[in-house]
Amino acid sequence: MASAQVALVRCETYDSDAVNAAVERGLDLLGGAQRFVRADERILLKPNLLVASAPEASVTTHPAVFSAAAHHLRKAGANLVYGDSPGFGRGEGAAKRGGLQAVAQEMSIPFADFAEGSIVSFPEGALIKQFTIANGVLEADGLVSLSKLKSHGLTRMTGAVKNQFGCIPGMLKGEFHARMPDIDRFSQMLVDLNRLLVPRLYIMDGIVAMEGNGPRNGDPRPMNVILFSDDPVALDATVCRMMNLDPELVGTVTYGQQFGLGTYTDIEIVGDSLKSFVADDFAVNRSTGSTTGGSGRASRIMNRLVTPKPVISKELCTACGTCVKVCPVDPKAVDWATPEGAKAKLAPVHDYDRCIRCYCCQELCPESAIKVETPLLGRLIHRERRAAE
Ligand code: SF4
Ligand code: SF4
């Protein structure tokens, strides 16, 4: 695999002029916007629109980054559309709340069809030979991925590779969690998805990132950077290094290199120095154990004893039911415990034997009421491993 370039550009504000200049610089460092799009091509911008959330919560790609990328790609001649399929609800609603819809309307960028999808066969897939992809993605000539720098309960970090999961429409995403409950297979699936879609360019909004209980309920953390690359593995590995997280702990990075999607061992950083962005205390899961087990009996026992589990805070829960709706397991691994005929609903409860640790409930809880907690045995094993290193 040839050396990959990752451009790092310092940007400490979402002021539109500053972001515009930073995005122009990042594109120039990689050879200019015209390297990635040609005149009159239909280019899909794929931001992270995980849920309907205000820009300052740092859940979604900031509208200033979306606007700047759109501006420079349009200047290079691209016909732009945009879209994403969130984990819950409609993409248009998330775009509205996140401030992207207003930018898109002002720039006359239509929302692509992410409600319906078509089956695409992918015989080259290492694990997955067939995907259902949103029609809006398939109708585009090319894809530009606009991800957000965040921690993640399941995959430790979410960035360039994981962003394309939103190209799978609606609740079909949950099926992948149910079919591949272990993190290795889930990561391999994401790598195959990127090998199929082959975005032309990856831009990541890391001006204000998210740490801790991500990707939805973590804390905003200024990292003051926008990243650019045509190699998603190199880009995510660079983010890992900024987070003081070993890239080899991230399945999308290691399988990404193994399956030929990119490289994490041969990267040329251009622009500002990587060292200037490293945050040693970035709150992310650095434990050397797996974040999740599998579906067999032994795995279930290990899951219960060792693997971090989602825990609901009864104080914070408003009984909205989102976690019950999004849980991909049948029967549900988080469900109502409210007695028949009760006037008010109580917080749902988890069945940890059934739970596959996909963390969709934690990811999508609108009240930050679900935390991922590591059981005592898991904490002890982690401590032993650290001591032995
Ligand atoms: S999603 Fe969160 S707030 Fe809603 S019912 Fe579940 S735990 Fe409670
Ligand atoms: S309870 Fe939560 S973590 Fe467990 S399978 Fe359901 S959605 Fe995934």
Side-chain angles (χ1 to χ4, degrees):
M1 177 65 61
S3 166
Q5 276 195 330
V6 178
L8 305 182
V9 176
R10 178 166 291 279
C11 185
E12 302 185 356
T13 165
Y14 282 115
D15 168 77
S16 59
D17 288 346
V19 177
N20 249 313
V23 169
E24 184 170 27
R25 185 176 164 227
L27 291 170
D28 285 348
L29 283 164
L30 295 183
Q34 66 286 348
R35 214 195 108 195
F36 303 101
V37 297
R38 283 187 291 279
D40 298 329
E41 278 187 316
R42 183 183 172 94
I43 298 295
L44 175 82
L45 300 177
K46 163 62 183 76
N48 181 330
L49 293 173
L50 177 68
V51 289
S53 177
E56 53 275 16
S58 293
V59 175
T60 48
T61 306
H62 196 280
V65 176
F66 175 77
S67 170
H71 172 74
H72 291 292
L73 293 169
R74 177 172 278 174
K75 236 168 75 178
N79 284 328
L80 301 174
V81 294
Y82 81 114
D84 189 12
S85 171
F88 188 67
R90 288 172 58 79
E92 289 93 329
K96 186 174 180 186
R97 182 92 171 96
L100 279 75
Q101 191 182 73
V103 172
Q105 281 172 351
E106 207 181 300
M107 296 181 75
S108 302
I109 303 172
F111 197 93
D113 176 10
F114 271 71
E116 303 295 331
S118 305
I119 293 173
V120 181
S121 91
F122 186 49
E124 303 86 353
L127 180 70
I128 306 292
K129 310 287 183 192
Q130 179 178 292
F131 284 96
T132 300
I133 302 294
N135 290 335
V137 179
L138 299 175
E139 286 157 9
D141 296 312
L143 172 58
V144 172
S145 177
L146 303 175
S147 58
K148 184 82 181 174
L149 196 169
K150 293 187 287 182
S151 55
H152 195 284
L154 176 64
T155 52
R156 299 175 195 268
M157 59 83 69
T158 175
V161 173
K162 178 109 189 337
N163 193 41
Q164 277 55 257
F165 196 37
C167 294
I168 295 172
M171 300 304 272
L172 285 176
K173 286 189 283 296
E175 278 180 26
F176 277 105
H177 281 295
R179 275 168 56 200
M180 18 214 80
D182 66 286
I183 184 62
D184 283 344
R185 282 161 57 84
F186 190 74
S187 301
Q188 290 168 17
M189 179 276 294
L190 289 172
V191 170
D192 273 345
L193 179 61
N194 278 265
R195 289 173 63 227
L196 169 66
L197 297 177
V198 197
R200 303 230 183 128
L201 170 67
Y202 301 80
I203 301 176
M204 186 185 291
D205 168 16
I207 299 175
V208 180
M210 175 179 283
E211 64 177 350
N213 197 26
R216 177 178 186 169
N217 294 309
D219 302 309
R221 165 85 189 235
M223 295 293 278
N224 304 316
V225 65
I226 308 177
L227 303 95
F228 305 79
S229 187
D230 60 2
D231 181 328
V233 180
L235 195 153
D236 282 351
T238 303
V239 169
C240 289
R241 290 170 179 131
M242 282 181 185
M243 294 175 165
N244 185 25
L245 171 68
D246 182 353
E248 297 207 343
L249 290 174
V250 177
T252 46
V253 170
T254 52
Y255 290 116
Q257 176 155 308
Q258 190 180 326
F259 296 169
L261 177 64
T263 175
Y264 70 93
T265 50
D266 189 7
I267 300 172
E268 180 195 2
I269 300 291
V270 294
D272 296 317
S273 86
L274 172 58
K275 207 170 150 200
S276 69
F277 297 109
V278 173
D280 282 335
D281 61 344
F282 193 95
V284 65
N285 177 9
R286 298 186 183 84
S287 69
T288 47
S290 168
T291 52
T292 185
S295 53
R297 184 176 147 74
S299 295
R300 282 203 301 276
I301 292 169
M302 283 307 281
N303 260 352
R304 195 163 355 114
L305 295 177
V306 177
T307 311
K309 61 184 181 183
V311 177
I312 294 177
S313 158
K314 290 192 178 117
E315 287 72 39
L316 295 177
C317 176
T318 57
C320 72
T322 300
C323 55
V324 178
K325 279 194 203 114
V326 300
C327 178
V329 176
D330 184 19
K332 301 278 182 189
V334 56
D335 212 343
W336 299 110
T338 313
E340 200 77 22
K343 282 205 180 107
K345 276 193 164 152
L346 303 171
V349 289
H350 281 98
D351 179 335
Y352 293 117
D353 281 344
R354 274 210 282 272
C355 174
I356 58 171
R357 276 35 172 201
C358 69
Y359 308 117
C360 290
C361 53
Q362 173 258 352
E363 186 171 324
L364 295 169
C365 169
E367 306 294 340
S368 298
I370 305 182
K371 297 271 183 296
V372 174
E373 290 182 4
T374 306
L376 180 64
L377 185 58
R379 291 202 299 274
L380 289 174
I381 291 172
H382 174 52
R383 201 178 304 158
E384 287 294 311
R385 278 188 181 143
R386 292 296 289 250
E389 280 167 10

